[in-house]
């Protein structure tokens, strides 16, 4: 068994999403002692910019044209990122909510790696994801709780986006653990983290 952990928070030791994700990983490793973890930290890696040669490489592939050396070089970087998703049995996202969505570095990764014939394809049947059979676990951290004036169905562009992406690439088994009210003082933060960590540990025992 192999997990790809996509770290979406730059806060590291202070991060609620990472704190809860570590509980999931610890429990998962107890269940799968020979399992492996690949950590993809979007804040501490060089993500290929998706313009210029990368964009030209994309459209050359779509048109069935040969890529230039420059285009092939950047496309190989993108392909290597995609292979990390293919190697995983389970993809774990730990992501804070930023402006009701996900951090821009996480969006950058998704925009770069989500390409035809890498994570999905399409033909006369429609859009066909290439990561079927896997599980996605989303650990979502929020400084406040959605609801009342900010109903989740209208304001959640965090887990909703990652669920949409999962479906696009063929994953139908998507689980979510949410930690909220992390900005409501130490007691509320700790209570929410403790509850979410227990949920994450329990989830690791069944996925």
């Amino acid at each position: 068994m192999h997990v790809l952990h996509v770290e979406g928070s730059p806060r590291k030791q202070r991060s609620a999403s990472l704190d809860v994700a570590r509980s999931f990983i610890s429990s998962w490793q107890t269940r799968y002692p020979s399992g492996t973890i690949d950590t993809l930290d979007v804040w501490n890696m060089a993500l290929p910019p998706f313009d210029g040669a990368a964009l030209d490489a994309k459209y050359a592939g779509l048109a069935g044209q040969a890529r230039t050396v420059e285009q092939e070089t950047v496309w190989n970087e993108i392909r290597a990122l995609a292979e990390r998703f293919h190697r995983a049995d389970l993809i774990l996202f730990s992501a804070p909510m930023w402006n009701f969505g996900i951090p821009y570095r996480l969006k950058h990764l998704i925009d770069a790696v989500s390409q035809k014939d890498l994570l999905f394809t399409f033909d006369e049947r429609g859009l066909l994801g290439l990561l079927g059979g896997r599980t996605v676990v989303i650990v979502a951290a929020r400084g406040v709780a959605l609801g009342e004036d900010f109903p989740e169905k209208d304001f959640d562009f965090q887990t909703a986006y990652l669920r949409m992406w999962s479906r696009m690439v063929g994953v139908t088994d998507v689980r979510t653990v949410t930690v909220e009210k992390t900005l409501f003082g130490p007691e509320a933060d700790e209570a929410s983290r403790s509850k979410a960590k227990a949920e994450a540990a329990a989830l690791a025992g069944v996925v």
Side-chain angles (χ1 to χ4, degrees):
M1 291 291 289
H2 180 63
V3 168
L4 173 63
H5 177 200
V6 182
E7 289 189 12
S9 174
R11 300 184 74 219
K12 306 313 172 192
Q13 295 306 315
R14 296 179 297 167
S15 167
S17 60
L18 276 175
D19 192 16
V20 175
R22 291 186 187 108
S23 290
F24 177 91
I25 290 170
S26 177
S27 181
W28 186 88
Q29 288 178 316
T30 298
R31 184 182 179 191
Y32 299 104
S34 61
T36 54
I37 308 287
D38 176 17
T39 300
L40 199 167
D41 179 357
V42 299
W43 294 95
N44 288 294
M45 65 179 296
L47 293 170
F50 205 78
D51 60 5
L55 200 57
D56 290 340
K58 170 181 178 172
Y59 282 99
L62 290 172
Q65 299 171 350
R67 296 186 174 108
T68 67
V69 172
E70 182 185 14
Q71 291 167 4
E72 194 62 36
T73 297
V74 70
W75 203 251
N76 284 338
E77 294 179 27
I78 293 168
R79 184 182 291 113
L81 282 175
E83 288 172 355
R84 293 172 73 171
F85 286 84
H86 279 277
R87 286 195 296 268
D89 300 290
L90 184 148
I91 301 165
L92 171 65
F93 287 99
S94 53
M97 175 176 274
W98 284 16
N99 298 315
F100 300 106
I102 59 175
Y104 67 91
R105 292 282 294 184
L106 178 53
K107 183 64 165 53
H108 181 166
L109 168 69
I110 290 172
D111 285 342
V113 79
S114 302
Q115 303 298 331
K116 182 179 183 292
D117 299 329
L118 295 184
L119 296 190
F120 66 88
T121 189
F122 53 82
D123 57 25
E124 65 280 356
R125 294 169 295 172
L127 184 65
L128 305 170
L130 300 178
L131 295 183
R134 292 165 178 79
T135 296
V136 165
V137 173
I138 303 165
V139 175
R142 301 167 182 172
V144 299
L146 294 183
E148 298 181 358
D149 292 339
F150 300 95
E152 191 162 5
K153 67 180 180 66
D154 295 325
F155 286 87
D156 177 17
F157 297 94
Q158 178 193 32
T159 61
Y161 178 81
L162 293 173
R163 283 179 174 276
M164 177 281 300
W165 174 86
S166 300
R167 181 175 177 179
M168 182 182 78
V169 298
V171 179
T172 57
D173 184 13
V174 182
R175 316 293 182 95
T176 303
V177 178
T178 303
V179 50
E180 296 184 313
K181 296 185 177 181
T182 62
L183 298 178
F184 279 53
E187 290 185 7
D189 180 25
E190 181 56 35
S192 186
R193 289 189 192 218
S194 295
K195 180 176 180 292
K197 286 192 284 188
E199 291 177 3
L203 179 59
V206 298
V207 295

